[in-house]
Amino acid sequence: MGSMWDVDLNLITFDLIIDFDANRADVKEKVLKEIQDKYPNYQFDVILDADYSD
């Protein structure tokens, strides 16, 4: 999917690719916290994806 920004709803949707070895919930929480702090007027919908590459 990639990413999508709905200007009317102030909604940003994006894929977050996380390595299998990482704690997916912790990584998602940290990323969301950082972007919400920078862009407090927006909502974020994050789709977790796995990194299948070597």
Side-chain angles (χ1 to χ4, degrees), residues 2 9-10 13-14 25 34-35 43 46 50-52:
L9 297 176
N10 283 354
T13 302
F14 64 93
E34 287 183 27
I35 60 176
Q43 293 180 306
V46 179
D51 181 6
Y52 291 101

Side-chain angles (χ1 to χ4, degrees), residues 28-39 44:
K28 180 181 177 182
E29 183 179 328
K30 181 178 178 181
V31 169
L32 274 175
K33 171 87 171 96
E34 287 183 27
I35 60 176
Q36 287 171 334
D37 287 349
K38 289 185 179 186
Y39 305 100
F44 297 92

